[in-house]
Amino acid sequence: MPSKSKHTISMAPVWQAFGTIRAPFMDLTFTAEEEAFRAECRAWLSANVPRPALPSGDTGDGFAAHLDWERKLFDARYAVVSWPREYGGRDASLWEWLIFEEEYYRAGAPQRVTQNGIFLLAPTIFEFGTQAQKDRLLPKMAAAEQTWCQGWSEPNAGSDLAGIQSRARRAHDGWRLSGQKTWTTRGAFCTHLFGLFRSDPDAERHRGLTYFLVDLSSPGVTVRPVERLDGDEGFAEVFLDDVLVGDDDVLGEPNHGWEVAMATTGSERGLTLRSPGRFLATAQRLIELWHAHGDDPALRDRLVAAYVDAEAYRWQTFWTVTRIVDGARTGSESSMVKVFWSELDIRLHELALDLLGPHAELLDGDDAAWMKGYEFALAGPIYAGTNEIQRNVIAERVLGLPRR
Amino acid sequence: MRFAFTDDQLAFRDGLRALLEQECTPAHVRDAWTNPTGRVPGLWEKLVALGLTSVLVHDWRGGFGLEYPDLVLLLEETGRFAVPEPIVETAAGLGPLLVQTDIDVAVGDTLVPWADSARLIHTARGVHDPTAVELIARPSVDGARRLFEVRGPAEPFDSVAVFERITLGVAAQQCGLADRMIELTVDYAKERQQFGVPIGSFQAVKHHLANARLALEFARPLVYRAAATLEPAHISMAKAKADEAALTSARAALQCHGAIGYTTEYDLHLYMKRSWALARSWGDARWHRDRVGTAIL
């Protein structure tokens, strides 16, 4: 550490030189190219977003309607803008991706029923997949020809994910999978599942797991839809009975599935699950609702607080993306992001219901989407690792508190 | 888009931190509670020598002619160390308008901290000559903040920009205070043992601190954004969230410390009480949200 005298005497000349060495300076504007990209996205979305809104993508009919939309996005190269061109993307930068997301939600475009594939599995394939796996899986995922669901949770492995009991047994022609996965979102509609299976029962719990990719039309797979809180069959239980998968359906190394699953949870695309555009758009719609129904100053204060939080999330993301562009790798900070957006989403929807008053419970009419959105928002602090677990991660890995 | 500080800006922040680690320790702040001025003797001159009061001053007035993003991290540091000096009021507030960069200015709406030791006083009524006013001392919960009501003549002065810049500086200080209180508490929770283990291993303690860290994580970017734009609505968002971060951190810090945190022998109260005072100065969170509401609704 420099001495005291050094500070009090020698800083001024350095300050004087400051004006000549200030680049790269803080710059809160988008480039002309980025603004042009925004305008292009806005125009295309405005012309193409389906009206009236599609039925819920978490029902059979709605899912099919959403697949049509996904294919339209793909044909216009908007399905996976940040991916390389060869796989259907545009090589868009992270900034452009954020711009696309802002415009997507601003336009009130449909939910992305492909999200678990394109946002959660794909980054893992980009990092751990073989060239053959990338070539085989990514184009079909981008085109929504194959749709992916997650196979993490089991009846006895929720927050304690390493308690997974589903087994993978080595066979002469590949691997045989047996066991049960649960709370599999859109499992009844998707064609494929990715998840962890115990391949070495004698190893320590976090070891001996392998990351598998499973075709749900394989013999031995049974899928049972489960109705969710909002009445949609968005959940499923997936039973696997001696299901054959090949060696090329292993992502990463056998018995190293935990590292594969965890390595990308906090990675740069970890922020892709819920981008700020989503909450900014919700806050904007709340403002419209306020103009229609609002007069209570207490609700006005909550509205502004929620709007400020959506802005805070946007600027925290810009902060993080700048670091990623500079080459930093984000890690456990993603736990802070997850807690923040999931609890913000609930505040936004609770406020909408309070503004609607006695009409909040109605399941028909233009405002019914708020109750549906509220029910979905309530899942946020539970899925993708409960917020209790995330707060433990923040305390232990960001603040450095002891694990036990 | 590039939302980050430059290496130079971070280096100056580190330089100031190194200075304050020596010159504004908890013992210095504690001494300010009982000494005649409420300030740290000699510290003002060192902050001036370091250039803090010159950052926003035009170069043709002998300043550095820099901008708020060059200053905001430095003000955050003065919060981290609970610097008992009118540094925000001077460096961000009135200083940029003055000819001399070594003058300290006490600024307040009606209650003015350190008005008796500053060379210029500014209130809602205008600028005052300290030799021509009567000062009525009022005790603050933060013993280092020597508060005064100012009676006597004032020179009217348009101070909208002064208000905005000071408010933002206070928001930056709240972030520094929040960070310091979290740091103090994390250190304590790692050391303090109960039931045979560090209390920081208990989930209830972890979650208090995680909440404080979360509040800070999402306040800072709004403060830094406002430093770049200086838009009133952005400044209000910054102050509202920074106050929330500081008050959440103060509550968590006190609760996690337990009884030791409730004493004045322990250092926490020096930072906690500053955050309480600043949270209601220059518009509280509710006032600033109301101003944001006027802009967006």
Side-chain angles (χ1 to χ4, degrees), chain A residues 90-112:
Chain A
R90 293 175 176 236
D91 284 309
S93 69
L94 273 173
W95 297 118
E96 288 168 327
W97 178 77
L98 286 169
I99 288 168
F100 172 76
E101 288 278 303
E102 285 188 2
E103 292 304 317
Y104 190 88
Y105 288 103
R106 184 182 175 279
Q111 69 179 113
R112 302 295 304 272

Side-chain angles (χ1 to χ4, degrees), chain B residues 153-168:
Chain B
E155 192 80 27
F157 181 80
D158 175 21
S159 55
V160 174
V162 172
F163 170 84
E164 300 293 355
R165 289 196 304 252
I166 293 179
T167 301
L168 180 55

Side-chain angles (χ1 to χ4, degrees), chain A residues 9 34 37 42-43 53 58 88 123 125 139 150 166 178 182 235 243 261 268 325 363 374:
Chain A
I9 295 166
E34 287 162 347
F37 177 67
R42 185 172 293 190
D58 299 330
I125 293 177
Q150 293 188 79
S166 291
S178 293
T182 192
F235 272 161
V243 176
E268 64 183 66
V325 170
L363 292 186
Y374 175 60

Side-chain angles (χ1 to χ4, degrees), chain A residues 1-2 4 7-8 11 14-16 18 21-22 24-30 34 95 287 290-291 297 300-301 303-305 307-309 311-313 315-316 318-319 322 326 336-337 339-340 388 391-392 394-396 398-404, chain B residues 1-6 8-9 12 15 18-19 21-23 46 49-51 55 64 66-67 69-70 74 182 186 189-190 198 200-201 203 206-207 209-211 213-214 217-218 221-222 224-225 228-229 237 241 286 289-290 292-294 296-297:
Chain A
M1 189 165 297
K4 166 177 113 185
H7 289 293
T8 48
M11 291 303 257
V14 188
W15 276 109
Q16 306 292 5
F18 205 53
I21 51 171
R22 49 201 310 176
F25 207 59
M26 191 181 284
D27 172 14
L28 305 190
T29 60
F30 289 109
E34 287 162 347
W95 297 118
I287 289 175
W290 166 263
H291 286 309
R300 180 181 187 270
D301 187 52
L303 169 60
V304 176
Y307 180 90
V308 171
D309 282 344
E311 280 275 299
Y313 183 33
W315 288 93
Q316 195 272 354
F318 289 171
W319 185 257
T322 302
D326 280 353
M336 292 196 275
V337 172
V339 171
F340 191 80
E388 285 73 17
R391 284 186 163 88
N392 290 350
I394 295 165
E396 290 162 16
V398 179
L399 295 175
L401 288 170
R403 280 181 68 86
R404 300 213 184 273
Chain B
M1 179 73 63
R2 179 176 174 75
F3 190 33
F5 291 100
T6 66
D8 303 304
Q9 288 164 338
F12 281 113
L19 172 79
E21 271 168 0
Q22 310 235 354
E23 307 290 343
K46 293 184 179 104
L50 192 65
V55 176
F64 301 143
L66 300 175
E67 288 162 26
D70 301 307
L74 305 177
I182 293 168
V186 166
K190 284 190 209 168
S201 64
Q203 237 177 12
K206 285 180 179 174
H207 289 193
L209 284 166
N211 286 338
R213 183 65 183 76
L214 267 167
E217 176 74 12
F218 289 90
L222 288 181
Y224 301 157
R225 187 267 297 252
T229 67
M237 291 189 205
K241 288 301 282 181
R286 174 91 195 229
R289 282 198 297 272
D290 185 59
V292 173
T294 305
I296 65 167
L297 294 176

Side-chain angles (χ1 to χ4, degrees), chain A residues 1-307:
Chain A
M1 189 165 297
S3 73
K4 166 177 113 185
S5 58
K6 210 169 167 182
H7 289 293
T8 48
I9 295 166
S10 67
M11 291 303 257
V14 188
W15 276 109
Q16 306 292 5
F18 205 53
T20 61
I21 51 171
R22 49 201 310 176
F25 207 59
M26 191 181 284
D27 172 14
L28 305 190
T29 60
F30 289 109
T31 64
E33 292 76 16
E34 287 162 347
E35 291 296 355
F37 177 67
R38 183 188 291 280
E40 184 193 330
C41 295
R42 185 172 293 190
W44 188 87
L45 287 163
S46 155
N48 289 281
V49 165
R51 294 282 179 257
L54 303 179
S56 165
D58 299 330
T59 61
D61 290 348
F63 188 81
H66 278 74
L67 285 186
D68 291 341
W69 165 250
E70 286 292 336
R71 281 159 195 154
K72 198 165 181 176
L73 280 175
F74 176 74
D75 290 341
R77 280 195 181 263
Y78 284 116
V80 286
V81 292
S82 61
W83 289 17
R85 289 184 175 279
E86 59 193 297
Y87 298 126
R90 293 175 176 236
D91 284 309
S93 69
L94 273 173
W95 297 118
E96 288 168 327
W97 178 77
L98 286 169
I99 288 168
F100 172 76
E101 288 278 303
E102 285 188 2
E103 292 304 317
Y104 190 88
Y105 288 103
R106 184 182 175 279
Q111 69 179 113
R112 302 295 304 272
V113 295
T114 52
Q115 67 159 29
N116 286 351
I118 61 176
F119 291 156
L120 300 181
L121 174 59
T124 316
I125 293 177
F126 279 118
E127 184 162 350
F128 291 94
T130 62
Q131 191 59 48
Q133 284 174 325
K134 290 177 192 168
D135 295 343
R136 172 165 63 97
L137 300 169
L138 293 173
K140 289 195 170 94
M141 189 189 298
E145 286 169 33
Q146 292 178 348
T147 47
W148 291 84
C149 57
Q150 293 188 79
W152 301 132
S153 292
E154 295 183 2
N156 292 311
S159 286
D160 185 11
L161 184 59
I164 280 171
Q165 291 168 343
S166 291
R167 296 278 298 272
R169 191 167 46 79
R170 211 52 182 114
H172 69 280
D173 46 357
W175 298 80
R176 296 277 174 172
L177 308 182
S178 293
Q180 181 186 351
K181 296 291 179 181
T182 192
W183 319 136
T184 302
T185 293
R186 289 183 286 278
F189 319 126
C190 286
T191 61
H192 288 71
L193 172 143
F194 59 93
L196 289 177
F197 292 79
R198 190 160 296 286
S199 45
D200 180 356
D202 300 324
E204 187 271 333
R205 330 189 303 134
H206 293 82
R207 315 205 183 288
L209 294 168
T210 300
Y211 196 124
F212 282 100
L213 307 169
V214 186
D215 183 343
L216 288 176
S217 65
S218 307
V221 175
T222 309
V223 178
R224 184 181 82 84
V226 177
E227 189 173 296
R228 293 188 317 200
L229 185 68
D230 62 1
D232 290 349
E233 292 182 339
F235 272 161
E237 290 178 304
V238 179
F239 300 90
L240 302 106
D241 180 14
D242 218 30
V243 176
L244 176 67
V245 294
D247 282 312
D248 57 353
D249 292 319
V250 173
L251 192 54
E253 293 296 312
N255 297 333
H256 289 273
W258 185 262
E259 293 94 304
V260 177
M262 293 301 125
T264 46
T265 56
S267 77
E268 64 183 66
R269 291 183 175 87
L271 67 88
T272 60
L273 180 61
R274 295 286 181 257
S275 69
R278 184 180 179 116
F279 306 101
L280 289 164
T282 308
Q284 203 57 49
R285 276 190 269 284
L286 261 182
I287 289 175
E288 289 157 26
L289 201 63
W290 166 263
H291 286 309
H293 301 274
D295 52 12
D296 179 341
L299 293 183
R300 180 181 187 270
D301 187 52
R302 281 170 56 196
L303 169 60
V304 176
Y307 180 90

Side-chain angles (χ1 to χ4, degrees), chain B residues 27-72:
Chain B
H28 287 102
V29 179
R30 194 174 285 282
D31 176 63
W33 273 57
T34 52
N35 74 16
T37 61
R39 297 170 62 170
V40 178
L43 181 57
W44 184 260
E45 290 70 25
K46 293 184 179 104
L47 297 176
V48 170
L50 192 65
L52 240 68
T53 55
S54 301
V55 176
L56 294 190
V57 179
H58 280 296
D59 38 13
W60 49 266
R61 276 177 167 157
F64 301 143
L66 300 175
E67 288 162 26
Y68 216 117
D70 301 307
L71 181 66
V72 67

